[in-house]
Amino acid sequence: LTQLGSTSTFSGSLRARPSSVGLASDEVYIRDGDTLAVSYYDPKPITNVFFEVTSPRPRFVAPTPDHMTSFESAMDCPFQILLRAQDEVIPIRRLPGALVTIAPTRYRRNAAQWIPGVPGGVSLSASDPAVEFTTSLSWRPRVVHMGARFELCFRVQEANDLVLVTAEFHTERCFVVVVAKCRKCLSP
């Protein structure tokens, strides 16, 4: 911060980064849920200013199913899961501009190796990042999916990369979808 003239007006800025790697002298590293506080005291005239803000704390919330919840589907059956996330910081301490979103991370079929993204045909409904974010996972398994067990993983994240979110903060959830063998939905 820099003092400007005799009016004791202050201005300045600090850049916040989600990683401590390569941190410059004018940058600070903030983690999920960290609180930044700034106070200023000037004896002439007596002035006390205190400002406090908490970095985003993006989390999955109800009605998002629990981690590793199992679902069953069949070929050509529309399958849908509602996913919801929010910044759990109380509004008065919320960092302005902090928004959350949900994105696919990885999947695997029949406990094989993890693959980035989601299987073909899986989609999330379009929704703009927000303090409370809701999307719907939709899938209509095809014949190539019959008899398979899929683990689909998604993470909730701060939309502007203001904080680093990790599994340690419960920001990833995986769901199991078993596509029945020799079963098919009849379309109307």
Side-chain angles (χ1 to χ4, degrees), residues 143-165:
V143 69
V144 298
H145 303 124
M146 278 182 33
R149 177 185 186 275
F150 290 86
E151 291 176 51
L152 311 174
C153 299
F154 300 84
R155 78 169 175 268
V156 58
Q157 61 190 22
E158 199 287 316
N160 298 307
D161 289 327
L162 296 174
V163 294
L164 180 65
V165 290

Side-chain angles (χ1 to χ4, degrees), residues 82-125:
L82 186 64
L83 305 176
R84 184 170 291 152
Q86 72 180 36
D87 181 359
E88 290 192 331
V89 173
I90 59 172
I92 196 166
R93 293 181 63 187
R94 187 171 290 134
L95 188 63
L99 305 171
V100 297
T101 187
I102 297 172
T105 56
R106 58 196 175 132
Y107 77 97
R108 65 181 174 180
R109 179 182 179 145
N110 297 329
Q113 186 173 358
W114 288 104
I115 300 168
V118 290
V122 174
S123 64
L124 293 178
S125 60

Side-chain angles (χ1 to χ4, degrees), residues 14-56:
L14 285 174
R15 283 187 32 180
R17 294 176 45 135
S19 171
S20 59
V21 177
L23 206 60
S25 62
D26 64 341
E27 296 176 324
V28 293
Y29 165 54
I30 57 174
R31 292 177 307 233
D32 180 290
D34 279 355
T35 297
L36 301 175
V38 177
S39 66
Y40 166 73
Y41 172 75
D42 186 353
K44 295 180 184 178
I46 296 176
T47 305
N48 232 347
V49 177
F50 184 75
F51 174 75
E52 189 172 86
V53 67
T54 300
S55 69

